[in-house]
Amino acid sequence: MFRLTWLAAAASTTLLAGCSGAGPSAADERRVFRYNQPEALTSLDPAFARNQANSWAVAQLYNGLLELDTTLLPAPALARRYQISPDGRTYTFVLRRGVRFQDSEAFAGGRGREVVASDFVYSFRRLFDAKTASPGGWIFRGKVLEDKAGAISDTCFVAANDSTLRIHLKAPFIPFLGILTMPYAYVVPHEAVEKYGKDFREHPVGTGPFQFKVWDEGNVLLYHRNPSYWRHDANGRVLPYLDAVAISFIADRKTEFLTFLQGKLDFLSGIREGSRDLILNPDGSVRADFQGRFQLQKAPYLNTEYLGIQLDSAGLSGEQARQGRALRDVRVRQALNYALNKPELLSYVLNHVGRPGLSGFVPAALPSFSVAKVPGYTFQQQRARELLRAAGYGPGRPLQLRLSTVAERKAVAEYLQKNWADVGVQVQIDINQSAAQQDLVDNGRTAFFSKSWLGDYPDAENYLALFYSPNFSPAGPDKTHYKSAEYDQLYQQAIREQDVARRTALYQQMDRLVVRDCPVIPLYYDEIIRLTQNNIHHLTANPTNQLLLERVRKD
């Protein structure tokens, strides 16, 4: 703990000296926002914003053409307006004038230059460059214009002039605007990438509200306020309000929570299993001894926690192949679903953090979610037993399965295990390391597994793409290898449907097919839990769980 305290003190001193030109003062300390990043941070380059740690860090440094508003709809950011052609294939963006990259020695004279349309062309094409080796090329691949060989066309991104950018798609794709709000689509200057090469990961240069100061990997990451940020508040004041951001890297969750309680962190995201009962009552409210000590925010999250069932035998062998044959009977899959008391799971295991998975795969945070229009499986033990008998299982021949999961989902898996035992299904739980679990699932080597899907962008298509047969894993997100000609046809129709109501109806029709065929068992639709100190204002939870600090105040 001494080391952590010393690091926090050193971080604040370094930051504040740089912000004020003198030693720290009480007023200065109030304007430093401190958060912890327990997961590994690997890069400050938006081309590698593949996880929450990287995404949160780069979101403070960069901007894109668009951003999500409070209703999860794409809104102008560096693009002040945009237009979509009647055929849905050409997107034209007009950029804000006067937006500058942050000052950097990568530029002549060390002064950041104005952002122009060709910077976006460069940034987008960089995602496909083998030298970059970015995992983010998928946001455009298969969507933008391609040449005869299937490669990204030289004319899919076009800078018509300094302030006009055009993007050409090979076919209409309605969720495309949402994709452009992702960190992968942030703009970077070619000068900085060329100067630093691979080291651009630790020498970031963007347009965002904060600018990079120093990164002592594994210990502390420091940002200063960008004095030339392009955005103002309603009163004309230049944002951000904070002077600095200090990010620590405490890996142990208990130490992280204690550090928050000591007032040395300004917010925490998520409550882990070890702390959930300590902080929350079974009904989800804050326990009496913590009331008033901090603020707790809860909001729907773009995350569905589920069980997946591998429907393709190609990667299964031995015992996995045997249970794979059993699980390919839809009656067995439906029985496993009916056997689960999902509301009780939320109450007994998760302290009411989340919403029971009583609909389809699309989470409750999205507009197409509807238990009425997409009814799922309720708790019906007798119905589960009947389906198992019809499939040839019973007391004399019990269904035996193995569920592959990870340590953090063990308590949930054990609760499910008891539910299934009540209807005569014997399930053994296999605990894997996260990387091993991911490999088993991606390569189809486990027949029954736990997983979650955190949306890349706030459109139901991002969830329903998991059941579109051209998206088979490992290359695509269809982990179960579900295949339905009816479903594929509806998916193709939905991604081209420009009328919102008709597209929502198509999404719901697709989700009903997922419920009927049961390649997955939705357990619950997750919720975001955030703890913030009482002196933090305007840090609001959002379904994407993005960390947005440009309007945050600290007093």
Side-chain angles (χ1 to χ4, degrees), residues 14-15 18-19 35 41-46 54 56-62 101-106 110 192 196 199-229 240 243-247 249:
T14 302
L15 276 164
C19 289
Y35 81 86
L41 174 65
T42 61
S43 179
L44 301 178
D45 180 346
N54 291 10
W56 278 9
V58 302
Q60 318 314 322
L61 303 171
Y62 297 91
F101 287 113
Q102 297 154 1
D103 292 347
S104 167
E105 61 183 16
Y196 297 113
D199 291 337
F200 181 63
R201 64 178 288 277
E202 57 189 70
H203 292 87
V205 180
T207 61
F210 297 93
Q211 56 191 19
F212 174 76
K213 181 66 176 178
V214 66
W215 184 12
D216 179 6
E217 291 198 41
N219 292 325
V220 67
L221 172 62
L222 309 176
Y223 295 158
H224 283 184
R225 179 180 183 272
N226 177 8
S228 302
Y229 190 46
D243 283 331
V245 178
I247 306 167
F249 297 91

Side-chain angles (χ1 to χ4, degrees), residues 190-353:
H190 68 87
E191 295 94 334
V193 177
E194 291 162 0
K195 177 178 177 60
Y196 297 113
K198 295 291 186 182
D199 291 337
F200 181 63
R201 64 178 288 277
E202 57 189 70
H203 292 87
V205 180
T207 61
F210 297 93
Q211 56 191 19
F212 174 76
K213 181 66 176 178
V214 66
W215 184 12
D216 179 6
E217 291 198 41
N219 292 325
V220 67
L221 172 62
L222 309 176
Y223 295 158
H224 283 184
R225 179 180 183 272
N226 177 8
S228 302
Y229 190 46
W230 55 274
R231 180 170 272 154
H232 299 70
D233 66 13
N235 296 318
R237 178 176 173 179
V238 176
L239 297 173
Y241 302 121
L242 297 166
D243 283 331
V245 178
I247 306 167
S248 59
F249 297 91
I250 306 169
D252 182 76
R253 289 289 186 172
K254 291 182 180 178
T255 304
E256 177 190 50
F257 181 59
L258 288 173
T259 306
F260 173 79
L261 290 181
Q262 293 167 357
K264 296 173 183 175
L265 293 174
D266 290 312
F267 107 116
L268 289 181
S269 177
I271 302 178
R272 303 302 174 185
E273 188 174 322
S275 303
R276 191 180 292 120
D277 290 335
L278 174 67
I279 300 171
L280 300 178
N281 293 309
D283 66 358
S285 60
V286 179
R287 288 191 176 275
D289 48 343
F290 285 114
Q291 288 184 6
R293 294 184 63 181
F294 50 75
Q295 304 170 48
L296 183 145
Q297 296 178 328
K298 182 188 286 189
Y301 194 15
L302 289 175
N303 182 47
T304 298
E305 295 285 334
Y306 71 98
L307 304 179
I309 299 163
Q310 179 54 251
L311 302 177
D312 185 353
S313 61
L316 301 175
S317 61
E319 187 179 3
Q320 291 292 333
R322 176 196 60 77
Q323 76 171 26
R325 288 191 292 272
L327 290 167
R328 279 194 290 279
D329 189 327
V330 69
R331 296 169 297 185
V332 170
R333 303 197 297 271
Q334 292 172 342
L336 292 172
N337 215 329
Y338 278 123
L340 300 182
N341 190 336
K342 298 171 188 177
E344 193 175 82
L345 166 69
L346 266 293
S347 177
Y348 285 6
V349 181
L350 299 170
N351 300 81
H352 285 281
V353 177

Side-chain angles (χ1 to χ4, degrees), residues 27 30 32 39 42 47 82 90 113 168 192 210 218 225 252 283 311 336 342 344 382 402 419 426-427 432 483 496:
R30 287 200 299 267
V32 180
E39 291 87 14
T42 61
Y82 63 86
T90 301
R113 62 167 175 80
H168 298 284
F210 297 93
R225 179 180 183 272
D252 182 76
D283 66 358
L311 302 177
L336 292 172
K342 298 171 188 177
E344 193 175 82
Q382 186 56 36
R402 303 177 75 97
N419 275 188
Q426 301 171 4
V427 178
N432 301 306
K483 187 172 185 178
R496 289 164 172 75

Side-chain angles (χ1 to χ4, degrees), residues 182 337 357 430 446 454:
M182 295 177 62
N337 215 329
D430 293 339
T446 179
L454 175 59

